[in-house]
Amino acid sequence: MSSGGSGTETSGSGDIARTLDLLWGTGQRPSRGPKPGLTLERIVETAIEVADRNGLGALSMRRIATELGTGTMSLYRYVPGKAELLDLMLDRVQRPSENPADLGDGGWRSALEALGRATLALYRRHPWLLEVNQSRPILGPSALDGMEKVLSRIKPMGLSDPELLSAIVMIDGYVVGAARTQLYQEQAEHSSGLTDAEFWEAQRPALEKAMNSGRYPVMAALSDDTFSSGFDHFEFGLQRILDGLEEFVSRRTSERRKRSVDR
């Protein structure tokens, strides 16, 4: 379950009851439409493709209808509007893998590690997710299936239920920040026409002068590889978060054992 960014769109802003009916298949299905093969699934997948290519700003019922080769009004037989469609899109892209190995080797740490990497990959496939405020998500089958899989793997941590949820929120929050940084870097390169290397090379003379001034002794003494693009900041941060959780789990386990012995 992903929290997303502050965003230009907000999940859950449509007709909640109708969205839940569509997500869970409990609502009345439309009668046979004028275009053979037009289904809710096709509409959602097409909307995702449009957002992947051009961002949420390009998403509209008219645009989706054009992509599908049908009239805009035909779409309203399947989904009330863009707000409800967005919630269907969010749930669709969160559909979890059916391969148990994709959540690691069975331990809670490997499950959270795999979750972090998979979530980063999700944002890279669908950058528009960072444009959505998902602080109040509509929970459909994909979101709940994913949550169920992760919780079942990290339950052995022995934490309270709120703490287990907080561990997932912690990983998600970290990944969102990393994904946004990566996206902004790519957007800056595209809009400026300068590669990352060219951007920093343009600053080199001024920075060298600043480092030689004696004003920044600690920074001037940093090793040559400090800002190397080869260092994986995402992986370093993810592992340190997991180290902290491992220490916390170990301490909690020791406390339980001590209480058991004292009794």
Side-chain angles (χ1 to χ4, degrees):
M1 184 172 60
S2 181
S3 61
S6 58
T8 58
E9 301 284 350
T10 303
S11 62
S13 59
D15 184 327
I16 296 174
R18 182 68 178 123
T19 300
L20 288 169
D21 282 341
L22 292 170
L23 284 169
W24 291 97
T26 55
Q28 183 177 1
R29 294 185 176 274
S31 57
R32 190 175 184 85
K35 182 178 176 59
L38 185 61
T39 64
L40 181 60
E41 183 74 8
R42 278 197 65 199
I43 293 170
V44 173
E45 289 178 352
T46 300
I48 292 170
E49 291 170 3
V50 170
D52 286 347
R53 288 197 308 266
N54 306 111
L56 283 184
L59 191 67
S60 68
M61 300 296 276
R62 178 178 295 180
R63 173 68 180 272
I64 298 165
T66 299
E67 294 278 338
L68 290 167
T70 188
T72 304
M73 294 308 297
S74 298
L75 302 186
Y76 292 106
R77 298 167 61 88
Y78 296 86
V79 60
K82 181 180 173 181
E84 293 81 6
L85 177 59
L86 177 61
D87 287 319
L88 300 182
M89 294 165 61
L90 293 171
D91 193 71
R92 175 64 183 82
V93 299
Q94 293 182 71
R95 187 173 294 175
S97 168
E98 296 299 324
N99 184 1
D102 287 344
L103 267 183
D105 61 10
W108 67 260
R109 177 167 178 144
S110 67
L112 288 177
E113 185 175 12
L115 175 66
R117 292 172 182 160
T119 304
L120 182 64
L122 176 68
Y123 281 117
R124 292 192 66 79
R125 289 195 305 274
H126 309 291
W128 54 269
L129 286 170
L130 293 169
E131 300 178 54
V132 184
N133 177 348
Q134 295 183 62
S135 59
R136 297 200 302 182
I138 300 292
L139 298 179
S142 294
L144 292 187
D145 285 349
M147 181 67 75
E148 179 70 16
K149 290 177 185 294
V150 174
L151 284 173
S152 67
R153 294 290 286 275
I154 69 173
K155 191 72 173 175
M157 292 175 79
L159 305 182
S160 68
D161 291 343
E163 289 170 341
L164 288 175
L165 180 61
S166 188
I168 296 174
V169 171
M170 186 190 311
I171 296 295
D172 186 70
Y174 171 70
V175 175
V176 167
R180 183 178 290 112
T181 297
Q182 290 185 10
L183 178 63
Y184 286 175
Q185 288 174 337
E186 292 169 2
Q187 289 177 340
E189 183 168 323
H190 178 74
S191 62
S192 69
L194 293 175
T195 66
D196 203 49
E198 291 169 339
F199 174 78
W200 290 111
E201 179 60 24
Q203 296 189 65
R204 184 171 61 83
L207 290 175
E208 286 182 346
K209 185 176 181 180
M211 292 303 105
N212 291 329
S213 69
R215 184 175 178 177
Y216 308 101
V218 176
M219 294 189 67
L222 293 175
S223 63
D224 292 340
D225 65 348
T226 298
F227 299 100
S228 169
S229 60
F231 188 86
D232 193 336
H233 293 282
F234 173 79
E235 193 64 29
F236 179 83
L238 178 62
Q239 295 304 324
R240 301 298 74 77
I241 290 173
L242 296 173
D243 287 346
L245 283 171
E246 197 156 36
E247 173 63 25
F248 181 69
V249 169
S250 177
R251 186 167 69 247
R252 180 64 60 81
T253 301
S254 297
E255 291 171 352
R256 281 199 302 270
R257 286 174 180 168
K258 185 177 185 301
R259 286 196 298 268
S260 178
V261 170
D262 290 343
R263 285 199 296 268

